[in-house]
Amino acid sequence: MWGFWDGHNYKAYSPIYDSDWNLKPAGEAYVDLVYNKWWTKDAKANTGADGSATIRGFCGDYDVTVTANGKTTTKMVAFHKGYDNVLEITVE
């Protein structure tokens, strides 16, 4: 995809927006993929007896909230491709 807007593209058409900035069908498909299918939303898990939990999600930046024994803490974390992406949070 060399261009995304019909108003300024090397050809007279683009796949995402028409010249009035309206989403075209391919643009609607792209938005659906990014925001509905490729987005990790509201992932939740309960810990096992050993205190660990596993959540599947996409790489990216997250706010992770942990509640234990009536206390809550939130940490901003980043998960990247090619790493173990193990997170340890201590709730004090």
Side-chain angles (χ1 to χ4, degrees), residues 12-59:
Y13 61 88
S14 92
I16 306 295
Y17 292 101
D18 66 19
S19 59
D20 293 324
W21 288 102
N22 297 303
L23 270 176
K24 295 167 82 171
E28 291 172 2
Y30 176 81
V31 169
D32 182 52
L33 286 170
V34 171
Y35 290 105
N36 297 315
K37 294 183 175 71
W38 296 341
W39 203 274
T40 305
K41 296 187 260 186
D42 300 325
K44 296 180 183 190
N46 292 317
T47 59
D50 65 351
S52 67
T54 301
I55 295 174
R56 285 189 48 127
F58 292 97
C59 296

Side-chain angles (χ1 to χ4, degrees), residues 3 9 26 32 41 74 77:
N9 199 359
D32 182 52
K41 296 187 260 186
T74 300
V77 297

